[in-house]
Amino acid sequence: MEWFSSILSRYPELAVYLALGIGYAVGGVRVRGFVLGGVTGSLLAGMLLGWAFEVPVSATAKSLVFLLFLFGIGYEVGPRFLSAMKGDGWRFAALAVFMPTVGLLVAWGVASALQLDPGLAAGMLSGALTESPAMGTATEAIQALPIDAETKARYVAHVGVGDALCYVSGALGVILTCTVIGPWLLRIDLKAHAIALEARYGIVRQRAGVASAWQPFETRAYRVPADAPMAGLAIAAAERLIEGARLFVYRLRRDDVLLDADASTIVHAGDVVAVGGRREVLVGILGERGREVDDADLLDIPMAAHEVFVCKARWIGHTLAQIAQCDEVRAVFLRRILRNGQQIPIGTGTTIERGDMVQLVGPEQAVLRAAGELGEIVRASDATDFIVVGFAIFLGAVFGVLAVVPVGRIDVSIGTSVGALLAGLVVGHVRARRPLFGRIPDAAVKLMQSFGLAAFVSMVGLGAGPHFLLALRESGVGLFFGGVLVTMTPLLLGLWFGRRVLRIDPLLLLGAISGAQTFTAALAALQEKSDSPIAVIGYTGSVAVAHVLLTTWGTVIVLAMA
């Protein structure tokens, strides 16, 4: 194997890609519903390669990919971070402050009791609280400590060791709390409570085998019989005849003449009307009351489907039921809502928030009118604004270097990593108001996040490999059980605080807890257990704030232990 060791020593970048491949292959294996994940798999693969072969790791390369990752995180959560305190969202934001703070205090107490060095303490915190980005901020903080280079290298290596040892128990702790322990303590049946909560939000479940309610909408033509209730009525009144069904008359044919319809147009018996709405409503209601007509010319209506970035203040915090009553959204239907990359269930009680991405469908002019009221249309583009990306990361990192916090007798900068995170938050926040500023395709943001973090932790693992066994012998048992305590304390206190103090609905609270731990796998497990997607409302309310706090805790725990 000397030839292989020689290759990795001469070309260490190959070891990073090998660790990524092995890590994602191992991390994707599902064992009784639990998946380790590509990031943790890459860390373990890097540690294995680092233990077996001597692989030099470039500090510059680690910083490069980690800054890209943090900027991507900030960019994604920026639109929701500052608006999280508005409306009922402050409850989820408060939980997202409470739980990470408890986790930090418990981690500091456990690390002090076990006399862990700053590296092991930071690794325990990042693994137990399932926030791998804290490894990067901790590493940068260690590099800034006034200690010798050999000690710095050992501490940095210990960050990866601590994270690897505590992450599995941390991940299992969050999943079990959200799906087993939490429902038992809250005295709820997840599936029954999900049905009741969906009814409160106006979300209608579909029977097995029936297509989703927000599938593409249809336009059909019907002849108006003489005894039809809509005969003789203005279109505005005719559209309100069937309560609860949003059906709209786009235009009509009268005596072989096509007429554009407005609210005051009178419908006559014998007219053929082009009606748009949800397919199940057209089939189930009008299909039984009227005779459908095949009229290609009448139905030749320009239809549009646009993604709209919500940024206009008028509609923020309003429910879909309230918005649907407004003339500005007449003849427009909502197909999908994305919030922080997660699809939000659509119901009459669903609230629209700043930064949401909604997909509107309907006649072209109606969609353009509604889009102008809600925000701005975001047209498909695969181009990344590297001008903004480059300058933002540069300026954020410089700010991190220059922003100095006095700690005892020394001055400590917040670091380039926290600076890049703040830069991402600022760009994301500005984008919420000016959607065409600093545009980065969603796929590019996900690549920044997944590749940036996985590549970083694999390099951490390569450096930690030679130190793993020694650190494990010295602190393994205590570190493991200390990590369990760091995981479970904020989870259990979060259940009490969220229910008794903040009065959050139990199922939304469980979703918010998975967000406060920034652990999407726990949300997925909760949705599967409850047979409902509605817990995502709590998750999106807390994850933005928790991401920022938990990432900065890497710096804080190092300074506290140093």
Side-chain angles (χ1 to χ4, degrees):
M1 296 295 287
E2 289 186 6
W3 66 271
F4 189 65
S5 177
S6 175
I7 289 177
L8 295 184
S9 296
R10 292 171 57 194
Y11 305 101
E13 63 274 15
L14 300 183
V16 176
Y17 284 105
L18 180 60
L20 285 174
I22 296 173
Y24 272 84
V26 174
V29 176
R30 185 177 297 271
V31 180
R32 296 184 178 274
F34 176 74
V35 179
L36 192 62
V39 172
T40 303
S42 297
L43 173 64
L44 295 175
M47 293 178 66
L48 178 63
L49 291 173
W51 170 76
F53 309 99
E54 184 176 347
V55 181
V57 178
S58 169
T60 301
K62 283 199 299 184
S63 297
L64 179 68
V65 294
F66 191 63
L67 292 181
L68 192 65
F69 161 75
L70 286 179
F71 177 83
I73 287 291
Y75 183 87
E76 183 177 63
V77 305
R80 288 280 299 156
F81 182 74
L82 294 180
S83 62
M85 295 293 181
K86 296 181 180 179
D88 285 339
W90 73 268
R91 303 178 192 276
F92 302 123
L95 184 71
V97 173
F98 176 80
M99 287 180 57
T101 301
V102 170
L104 174 65
L105 294 176
V106 175
W108 174 74
V110 169
S112 299
L114 296 177
Q115 297 183 335
L116 300 179
D117 63 53
L120 288 174
M124 178 182 68
L125 180 141
S126 66
L129 299 181
T130 62
E131 181 69 4
S132 298
M135 297 170 62
T137 53
T139 298
E140 185 178 7
I142 289 172
Q143 296 291 357
L145 293 178
I147 54 179
D148 61 87
E150 183 180 349
T151 305
K152 286 181 182 180
R154 187 172 73 254
Y155 287 174
V156 168
H158 284 178
V159 174
V161 173
D163 182 273
L165 193 60
C166 297
Y167 183 85
V168 174
S169 61
L172 286 173
V174 184
I175 292 174
L176 289 175
T177 299
C178 289
T179 59
V180 179
I181 299 173
W184 179 73
L185 291 175
L186 295 171
R187 304 286 196 273
I188 64 168
D189 179 282
L190 285 176
K191 292 186 177 181
H193 191 83
I195 293 173
L197 189 60
E198 287 177 2
R200 191 195 314 170
Y201 275 80
I203 298 169
V204 180
R205 286 197 176 194
Q206 298 299 302
R207 300 186 307 276
V210 178
S212 170
W214 49 92
Q215 63 178 321
F217 299 89
E218 290 193 13
T219 303
R220 296 190 175 193
Y222 298 90
R223 188 176 300 279
V224 179
D227 59 347
M230 70 184 304
L233 295 179
I235 284 179
E239 291 174 344
R240 293 193 292 268
L241 282 175
I242 304 175
E243 186 176 355
R246 296 188 74 233
L247 295 175
F248 300 98
V249 178
Y250 298 148
R251 62 179 180 175
L252 52 86
R253 179 187 292 277
R254 179 177 299 160
D255 298 329
D256 294 328
V257 178
L258 294 179
L259 302 175
D260 290 329
D262 57 37
S264 60
T265 302
I266 303 299
V267 179
H268 295 171
D271 287 349
V272 180
V273 293
V275 183
R278 296 196 311 184
R279 179 180 181 276
E280 61 268 30
V281 176
L282 290 171
V283 173
I285 297 178
L286 292 187
E288 296 180 355
R289 302 183 183 185
R291 184 166 64 87
E292 188 171 359
V293 177
D294 182 16
D295 192 330
D297 291 334
L298 177 65
L299 296 176
D300 187 17
I301 301 170
M303 304 296 287
H306 288 306
E307 299 284 350
V308 178
F309 193 92
V310 179
C311 57
K312 297 292 181 67
R314 178 182 175 185
W315 303 109
I316 305 303
H318 287 69
T319 64
L320 295 182
Q322 293 171 328
I323 297 174
Q325 301 302 315
C326 301
D327 292 338
E328 291 87 348
V329 296
R330 176 186 175 273
V332 174
F333 296 91
L334 180 64
R335 181 182 292 174
R336 183 180 65 193
I337 303 175
L338 290 179
R339 184 174 298 162
N340 284 341
Q342 299 289 329
Q343 188 159 323
I344 301 297
I346 294 178
T348 55
T350 302
T351 301
I352 292 294
E353 301 291 347
R354 184 183 297 277
D356 285 352
M357 186 72 73
V358 298
Q359 187 177 53
L360 305 180
V361 296
E364 185 178 23
Q365 293 304 315
V367 170
L368 293 176
R369 180 186 66 242
E373 290 291 327
L374 287 170
E376 294 192 40
I377 294 176
V378 179
R379 302 188 187 277
S381 173
D382 57 1
T384 297
D385 191 342
F386 281 107
I387 296 175
V388 172
V389 172
F391 277 114
I393 294 178
F394 171 77
L395 294 175
V398 170
F399 172 78
V401 172
L402 298 179
V404 175
V405 179
V407 179
R409 291 177 295 177
I410 61 174
D411 293 333
V412 179
S413 66
I414 66 173
T416 58
S417 53
V418 176
L421 176 63
L422 296 177
L425 283 172
V426 171
V427 174
H429 179 69
V430 174
R431 182 177 62 95
R433 284 154 176 76
R434 299 180 179 275
L436 300 182
F437 169 80
R439 289 187 62 184
I440 306 175
D442 291 342
V445 175
K446 293 302 180 186
L447 181 64
M448 287 182 183
Q449 296 174 358
S450 56
F451 174 74
L453 183 58
F456 171 78
V457 299
S458 66
M459 285 186 268
V460 170
L462 290 171
H467 304 267
F468 180 76
L469 294 179
L470 179 60
L472 196 63
R473 284 195 296 266
E474 293 178 351
S475 307
V477 175
L479 187 62
F480 175 80
F481 286 105
V484 173
L485 186 62
V486 174
T487 296
M488 297 308 300
T489 303
L491 288 171
L492 296 177
L493 289 180
L495 285 171
W496 170 83
F497 184 72
R499 189 70 186 126
R500 300 299 182 186
V501 179
L502 299 177
R503 304 291 182 183
I504 300 175
D505 176 88
L507 185 53
L508 297 186
L509 172 59
L510 294 173
I513 282 177
S514 67
Q517 293 284 86
T518 66
F519 196 53
T520 310
L523 170 67
L526 175 60
Q527 290 175 324
E528 182 180 0
K529 195 89 169 180
S530 63
D531 195 24
S532 169
I534 198 167
V536 73
I537 296 174
Y539 175 88
T540 57
S542 61
V543 69
V545 176
H547 251 315
V548 175
L549 290 181
L550 288 172
T551 299
T552 59
W553 281 181
T555 300
V556 175
I557 191 70
V558 168
L559 297 179
M561 295 306 299

